[in-house]
Amino acid sequence: MRTSKAGETFTHKGYDDEGNAIIKDGITYKVPAFDRDQKVMVDDYIETPEAGENVDEVVSENKVLFKYGEKKGKGKEVSTDKGRVNTGNAGHAGIHRAIGDDIEYPEIASQKTGAIKANVQKVNSSEDAAVLARHLADHAQEQILAILTNRAGKVISVHRHTIGTATVSPVDVKLIAGLALNKGAARVYFVHNHPSGNVALSSDDSRLYERGINIFKGTGVEMADVIAITDSEYESAVGGTNKYPEPGQQKGKSFQVEERRIIKKRRGDLKLSKEKPAREYAEKVIPGGGIIFVDVKLMPVGHFEITNFGKIRGHLQTEILKRIEKSNATGFFAYAQNEKDIGNIKRFANALQINLVSVLTKDGKDIPGSAIAEYDVTFDFMGGQQVYERLMQKLNVPESAYSD
C-alpha cells in the first residue's frame, strides 16, 4: 500500500460504482481525496485496502485515513458519522457515503461586460427603452436586451440575454423573470434589433409578450413590453410602430451592460437518470416534498422544499424562479405526497416552460413527465377535476384511489 500526498497529480481510468477514481485495475482512490477537474490530490490518502484486511478507521482533522493491522480475517464493518468502511472476501474496501454528499450546486451571478450611452436618464416608457437600446440597430445579428427597472423608472440592470443569428435570437423568459426577482426589479422591457430593417414584430415576438405576462403573473414584476428596433423606428407590443423622438435638451447617461456568468461550477457525479438515485436524493434533501432542479444531464443543481403543491403558483413560484435563475436549471423532479399533486405540478411546468422530468410520490410511484405530456392542452379547456380523473385513468390508477 502507498500513501498519495497532497499536490500529487495522477491519471485515472474513470470511476467505479461508488464514485471512486480507478487508478489501475482493482485500485481506487476515495472521492474526497482528489480534485476531479484538475486530477490533483487535495489531501493525504492511501489506496483502497484489499478485501480481507483488518481495517480500523481513524478520523483526524476531518480527514479519513486507514490504519492497517497485521491480523487477517473476513473483515469487519465500522460505522461513523464519516461513512461506512466495509471489508470482506469479495471486491475492495471503500467509503460508502450517503448519496449526494459530494454535491455542490453551481452559482450564477451578473457581471458587467460593457457600457452604453443613451439620451435618457430613466426608463418610464417603451419609448425610453427603445432609445436606450437604439445602438443595437448597428448590429448584424439579433440581440436581446432585458431592461430591468424599479417602479420609478430607475434602471437596475441592462442585461444582454442572448446574441442570435441575422433573423432570430432565443429567449428564456423564466431566466429573466428570476433575474428580475433576484435584483428586486418591478418592470422588464425586452428589446431586440431586426437587422433586416423590417421593424414589424414577428409572431414569435408577440408570443414572447404573452408568455412573459403568464410567467410574471403573481410575482409582483410587470412584463412591460416587447420592442423591436431598427435605425429609424421601433415597434412595441403595447404601443405599435413609432419614430424615435427628436434629441432634446436632456443630458445622456451611461448604463452598464451585464451578462450572467458561472461563478461557481457544479461539483459531484450524481446523475438522476434512474428512479432509485432520484428517490434517494429527494428523500435526503427534501424529505417533506418539493422540487429537485437539474441540468440537461439530469444532474442536481438545486432543490426547494414544498409541502403543499396546491400553492405552487404565487409566492412559491417567485422563490422557484429565483432559484432557477441562480442555478441555471433546465428541468426538475417533483417529490410529492401522491398522484393528486400531478395536475398542479404539470400546469406549473407548462406555465414556466420548464422540463418536468418526473413526479416521484411518497407511496413509491415514478411518473415520467412524458406520461402526462399529452395533457398540456387539455388543461386549458377542461375542468380541473375532469382533467385529474382522465389522467388517473390514463395511468391505470384504480378509481378507488382517487374518487371520494
Side-chain angles (χ1 to χ4, degrees):
M1 295 297 168
R2 183 177 69 87
T3 301
S4 296
K5 301 296 183 182
E8 181 180 353
T9 59
F10 61 91
T11 301
H12 64 73
K13 298 181 178 181
Y15 309 106
D16 63 12
D17 291 341
E18 300 298 331
N20 301 317
I22 301 172
I23 306 304
K24 59 184 179 180
D25 293 341
I27 299 297
T28 61
Y29 279 110
K30 309 300 175 298
V31 176
F34 61 94
D35 183 301
R36 290 180 186 278
D37 298 326
Q38 302 298 323
K39 298 181 180 180
V40 176
M41 301 299 295
V42 295
D43 211 338
D44 294 350
Y45 273 77
I46 62 172
E47 293 172 349
T48 305
E50 295 181 359
E53 287 190 280
N54 187 45
V55 179
D56 293 320
E57 183 176 274
V58 179
V59 180
S60 175
E61 297 178 351
N62 296 321
K63 295 188 294 185
V64 181
L65 305 176
F66 292 96
K67 177 182 178 182
Y68 295 89
E70 299 179 356
K71 187 176 180 180
K72 302 287 183 178
K74 279 191 173 183
K76 64 180 181 179
E77 183 176 293
V78 180
S79 296
T80 74
D81 60 352
K82 291 291 181 180
R84 185 177 76 253
V85 179
N86 183 20
T87 62
N89 288 325
H92 291 77
I95 299 178
H96 299 265
R97 296 180 179 273
I99 188 167
D101 274 359
D102 62 337
I103 295 296
E104 291 183 22
Y105 294 148
E107 291 181 15
I108 311 297
S110 295
Q111 294 186 350
K112 294 179 175 62
T113 58
I116 54 176
K117 188 171 184 178
N119 194 35
V120 291
Q121 292 286 320
K122 295 183 177 182
V123 174
N124 280 309
S125 66
S126 299
E127 179 179 273
D128 292 339
V131 170
L132 191 157
R134 188 176 180 177
H135 70 285
L136 290 180
D138 296 331
H139 291 265
Q141 293 170 248
E142 280 200 12
Q143 294 189 33
I144 302 285
L145 289 185
I147 302 174
L148 281 55
T149 76
N150 65 13
R151 297 207 177 278
K154 180 181 179 180
V155 176
I156 295 174
S157 174
V158 178
H159 174 77
R160 181 178 288 110
H161 182 47
T162 56
I163 299 177
T165 67
T167 58
V168 66
S169 190
V171 184
D172 192 333
V173 182
K174 64 180 177 294
L175 288 182
I176 298 301
L179 181 70
L181 290 165
N182 281 321
K183 286 183 171 290
R187 296 189 183 96
V188 176
Y189 298 82
F190 284 91
V191 190
H192 66 293
N193 58 316
H194 280 180
S196 66
N198 180 6
V199 75
L201 291 172
S202 67
S203 58
D204 285 339
D205 294 336
S206 298
R207 282 193 292 270
L208 168 61
Y209 181 60
E210 294 169 0
R211 291 202 312 271
I213 290 175
N214 189 32
I215 290 177
F216 281 89
K217 184 178 180 180
T219 65
V221 179
E222 177 189 349
M223 175 68 174
D225 207 349
V226 172
I227 303 166
I229 67 168
T230 63
D231 186 54
S232 60
E233 58 186 354
Y234 68 91
E235 181 161 307
S236 156
V238 174
T241 304
N242 299 274
K243 298 290 186 180
Y244 294 105
E246 293 294 329
Q249 299 301 316
Q250 181 174 242
K251 184 179 180 181
K253 183 177 180 179
S254 181
F255 297 90
Q256 296 289 335
V257 179
E258 298 179 328
E259 295 180 8
R260 296 171 64 250
R261 298 289 176 88
I262 300 171
I263 60 172
K264 178 183 176 183
K265 292 185 178 181
R266 181 197 179 282
R267 305 275 308 212
D269 285 334
L270 179 62
K271 190 173 182 179
L272 307 182
S273 56
K274 295 182 179 180
E275 179 186 0
K276 183 178 179 181
R279 183 175 295 280
E280 288 180 354
Y281 191 64
E283 290 171 348
K284 175 183 177 180
V285 298
I286 46 172
I291 285 175
I292 297 174
F293 301 110
V294 295
D295 61 16
V296 292
K297 296 181 180 180
L298 298 184
M299 292 182 169
V301 294
H303 64 268
F304 184 69
E305 188 168 358
I306 300 173
T307 56
N308 184 358
F309 281 95
K311 298 181 179 180
I312 197 169
R313 296 299 296 262
H315 173 68
L316 290 182
Q317 176 176 324
T318 296
E319 292 302 317
I320 290 169
L321 283 167
K322 291 166 71 173
R323 297 191 186 213
I324 288 174
E325 191 272 324
K326 283 294 186 183
S327 65
N328 235 23
T330 60
F332 72 94
F333 286 82
Y335 185 45
Q337 290 288 341
N338 50 55
E339 295 94 334
K340 289 186 177 181
D341 289 324
I342 291 176
N344 285 328
I345 295 169
K346 187 58 180 177
R347 282 192 291 271
F348 172 77
N350 288 346
L352 264 61
Q353 297 189 322
I354 187 170
N355 178 36
L356 171 57
V357 181
S358 181
V359 177
L360 304 171
T361 65
K362 292 189 177 183
D363 54 3
K365 293 184 175 60
D366 176 15
I367 306 167
S370 58
I372 50 180
E374 65 185 82
Y375 289 85
D376 290 0
V377 178
T378 310
F379 282 125
D380 292 336
F381 60 85
M382 293 176 61
Q385 183 62 30
Q386 187 180 0
V387 171
Y388 173 65
E389 291 175 0
R390 284 275 304 277
L391 179 57
M392 294 301 99
Q393 293 166 7
K394 182 69 178 177
L395 298 172
N396 296 318
V397 177
E399 184 175 352
S400 59
Y402 62 84
S403 60
D404 294 330

